[in-house]
Amino acid sequence: MSRRRQIYEGKAKILYEGPEPGTLIQYFKDDATAFNAQKKGTISGKGVLNNRISEHIFTLLGTIGVPHHFIRRLNMREQLVRQVEIIPLEVVVRNVAAGSLSKRLGIEEGTPLPRTILEYYLKDDSLGDPLVTEEHIAAFGWCGQDELADMQDMAIRINDFLSGLFAGVGIRLVDFKLEFGRLWEDDYARVILADEISPDGCRLWDMASGEKLDKDRFRRDLGGEVEAYQEVARRLGLLPEGSANSVVNLDSARKARDAR
Ligand code: UDP
């Protein structure tokens, strides 16, 4: 592990001081948490896969003009990113009902939504990241109105692009979470995409079988977490063909867990 100065340790990543001013190194851990860190575990190899998947997605988003913090991947677990001032909101984009939306509103998981829904959660672990409205955001000034509009535009563009990308490899993009940050240039701050985009923060369902290929395998004790993440990487062309278990083998992973 690196001896660089640690800036911050989160649930799934560590941030270190970067080699140049204005840069950070984002280190991807194998740690997994769910339900506001009430459930904790390790998914061996997850950090390596998320680093690679997130690199791929940010690079593609860059090609369509979405500004982001990713500079380059340094090694298996680390990437160099621009230092930003994180906006304390999680922006969730939903195409299909699942998770907390299904629970809160009593809509069956898997129901396609009549339109894409954006939600905002305040990043505050002590409060359990509560759902907030645009009114709350404006009243408490968690970000400016222009910044919110920029985040909304980017979230919709990212959703359109990623829905197509995943559909092309037989995966349904059900929902996902984004984080944004301010990049200061003299006295002016520009909002750019930050954090990561990986199966940790997305719901990804196999289109043919409905099999979950994301962190819900961990949240819901389904087993086969790393196999699911590998399958996403393999379909995105990031692993050699035949190197990851197929969806069929997720069933064997589940059976092996049940037998334990
Ligand atoms: N999500 C996330 N971090 C969070 C909360 C949610 O990455 O702290 C992602 C989650 O993986 C899912 C989407 O945001 O893809 C919507 O999550 P939801 O609100 O349904 O919450 P959950 O069911 O995870 O409690």
Side-chain angles (χ1 to χ4, degrees):
M1 240 240 251
S2 162
R3 290 201 199 111
R4 303 177 194 103
R5 193 163 76 89
Q6 186 175 311
I7 306 279
Y8 173 80
E9 177 156 11
K11 291 172 215 145
K13 294 191 292 295
I14 304 173
L15 292 176
Y16 296 99
E17 200 169 62
E20 291 141 38
T23 64
L24 294 177
I25 291 166
Q26 193 165 245
Y27 176 95
F28 288 74
K29 300 192 280 184
D30 284 345
D31 296 351
T33 60
F35 314 119
N36 199 26
Q38 285 168 42
K39 178 178 169 124
K40 289 193 179 121
T42 305
I43 303 173
S44 186
K46 170 176 84 83
V48 173
L49 289 160
N50 281 354
N51 186 21
R52 189 73 187 85
I53 293 169
S54 197
E55 170 196 21
H56 181 67
I57 292 179
F58 273 68
T59 303
L60 290 177
L61 288 172
T63 66
I64 64 154
V66 173
H68 58 65
H69 75 158
F70 177 81
I71 302 172
R72 66 174 182 278
R73 188 166 61 87
L74 297 173
N75 54 48
M76 299 275 276
R77 287 190 183 268
E78 293 179 326
Q79 49 182 243
L80 184 66
V81 299
R82 275 179 214 293
Q83 183 162 26
V84 294
E85 184 184 296
I86 287 286
I87 292 173
L89 295 170
E90 296 190 344
V91 178
V92 168
V93 185
R94 298 182 184 273
N95 300 306
V96 176
S100 70
L101 177 110
S102 289
K103 210 183 269 177
R104 192 180 311 112
L105 303 179
I107 301 172
E108 196 187 341
E109 282 218 322
T111 310
L113 297 170
R115 49 167 280 179
T116 297
I117 295 175
L118 295 184
E119 292 176 344
Y120 313 97
Y121 293 83
L122 180 65
K123 270 172 70 69
D124 187 326
D125 285 340
S126 65
L127 298 175
D129 293 350
L131 178 68
V132 295
T133 68
E134 289 189 38
E135 287 283 296
H136 295 124
I137 296 169
F140 298 112
W142 293 313
C143 72
Q145 288 302 101
D146 293 356
E147 292 178 327
L148 184 61
D150 285 350
M151 291 195 287
Q152 290 166 339
D153 289 350
M154 281 190 261
I156 295 297
R157 284 196 74 206
I158 293 166
N159 183 48
D160 286 347
F161 180 78
L162 292 187
S163 293
L165 177 77
F166 282 116
V169 295
I171 293 175
R172 198 168 176 204
L173 180 60
V174 170
D175 57 33
F176 60 99
K177 185 260 300 182
L178 298 173
E179 293 190 26
F180 295 90
R182 296 184 186 99
L183 184 66
W184 286 93
E185 282 158 359
D186 300 322
D187 287 345
Y188 178 76
R190 194 157 62 98
V191 176
I192 67 171
L193 180 67
D195 193 44
E196 71 181 290
I197 299 182
S198 73
D200 265 8
C202 301
R203 283 198 171 89
L204 303 168
W205 295 355
D206 178 65
M207 278 181 168
S209 65
E211 193 80 70
K212 296 183 197 315
L213 301 174
D214 56 56
K215 206 167 94 176
D216 271 348
R217 300 205 75 84
F218 169 75
R219 292 190 190 97
R220 302 180 188 193
D221 290 321
L222 299 174
E225 292 93 341
V226 86
E227 290 82 358
Y229 284 49
Q230 277 173 357
E231 179 63 15
V232 173
R234 189 188 66 77
R235 291 206 202 172
L236 291 173
L238 306 177
L239 296 178
E241 279 301 316
S243 65
N245 292 342
S246 70
V247 173
V248 177
N249 286 340
L250 289 176
D251 290 333
S252 355
R254 187 188 305 115
K255 284 190 193 114
R257 176 185 52 88
D258 290 345
R260 262 183 253 133

